Amino acid sequence: MPAVGQAERFMSLFLATFLTGIVLLALGGWFLWNGPRVRPATFGWMRSTPAAVVLFGGAAVWFLWHIAHLGKADFGDYKQLLLLVFGVTALGSFFFVRDFLAVRGLAVLMLLSARPLLDAAYMQFDHPQRLLMVIAVYIGIVIALIIGAAPYRLRNFFTWLFAKNARVRALGLVLVVYGAAVFITSFTY
């Protein structure tokens, strides 16, 4: 892909910050509310086949779309071979690596979504408040790398988190406050 210029941005800085804030607010609200269905739903999606189809399937399609649009400098001469290898690998994952496939799909989606978010903030030096969004994205990248390599760690984290009700609400409060700050920041550009 060419260098990201102002006219080539996939999304605006406003939209990137706005969406990041909404995601953080929704996730924080989920944990802050901590109703009777939060714990089973939080643990249930990780091994759910429908969640795996949506998350991992969406991640595979997005990744294959990226491969289909490779330029000459990025292995573009081998596009068809790469599409075949990664397509078969993604399809095979549904049959041979089913455990925590939804978590792996979430990790890939987080990594793929980081690029357009960070591209929107690239070289925007006149908006230092963009760093609130950028920090959240980089934390998401680290989390995605950890849960992508060892998806059971997300289950272990949720086990630790739900051991005490105060932990769940504290995480929810932190995410809501930070998400609100990011959301409000989006209107300052």
Side-chain angles (χ1 to χ4, degrees):
M1 289 200 157
V4 178
Q6 189 65 21
E8 298 161 347
R9 291 188 194 281
F10 178 73
M11 69 174 63
S12 67
L13 182 57
F14 164 77
L15 184 59
T17 308
F18 181 83
L19 291 175
T20 303
I22 291 292
V23 168
L24 290 171
L25 280 169
L27 191 58
W30 175 258
F31 289 118
L32 190 59
W33 172 53
N34 196 15
R37 295 183 185 174
V38 168
R39 181 183 169 89
T42 301
F43 281 94
W45 71 271
M46 291 186 275
R47 290 191 166 149
S48 163
T49 300
V53 169
V54 170
L55 294 171
F56 193 82
V61 168
W62 193 358
F63 183 72
L64 292 173
W65 181 86
H66 274 291
I67 291 175
H69 291 87
L70 287 176
K72 286 258 189 212
D74 298 320
F75 299 105
D77 292 336
Y78 304 101
K79 255 192 261 195
Q80 304 306 324
L81 178 62
L82 291 173
L83 278 170
L84 179 68
V85 168
F86 286 115
V88 169
T89 301
L91 192 59
S93 297
F94 284 102
F95 298 103
F96 301 110
V97 193
R98 285 189 236 166
D99 203 28
F100 292 114
L101 195 57
V103 177
R104 294 176 199 275
L106 176 66
V108 174
L109 284 174
M110 288 171 65
L111 290 171
L112 288 172
S113 64
R115 175 154 187 201
L117 295 173
L118 293 175
D119 281 350
Y122 182 68
M123 299 297 285
Q124 297 285 330
F125 298 121
D126 50 339
H127 301 295
Q129 66 272 34
R130 78 191 186 290
L131 295 177
L132 280 174
M133 181 268 294
V134 171
I135 289 169
V137 173
Y138 277 116
I139 291 171
I141 289 170
V142 170
I143 291 169
L145 290 173
I146 291 169
I147 67 173
Y152 63 88
R153 289 183 186 263
L154 186 62
R155 180 205 56 209
N156 294 350
F157 170 73
F158 286 144
T159 302
W160 172 83
L161 184 70
F162 282 98
K164 294 190 177 177
N165 208 18
R167 291 178 187 162
V168 180
R169 295 204 190 268
L171 176 65
L173 183 62
V174 167
L175 290 172
V176 164
V177 169
Y178 196 79
V182 172
F183 178 79
I184 291 167
T185 298
S186 69
F187 294 100
T188 65
Y189 301 126

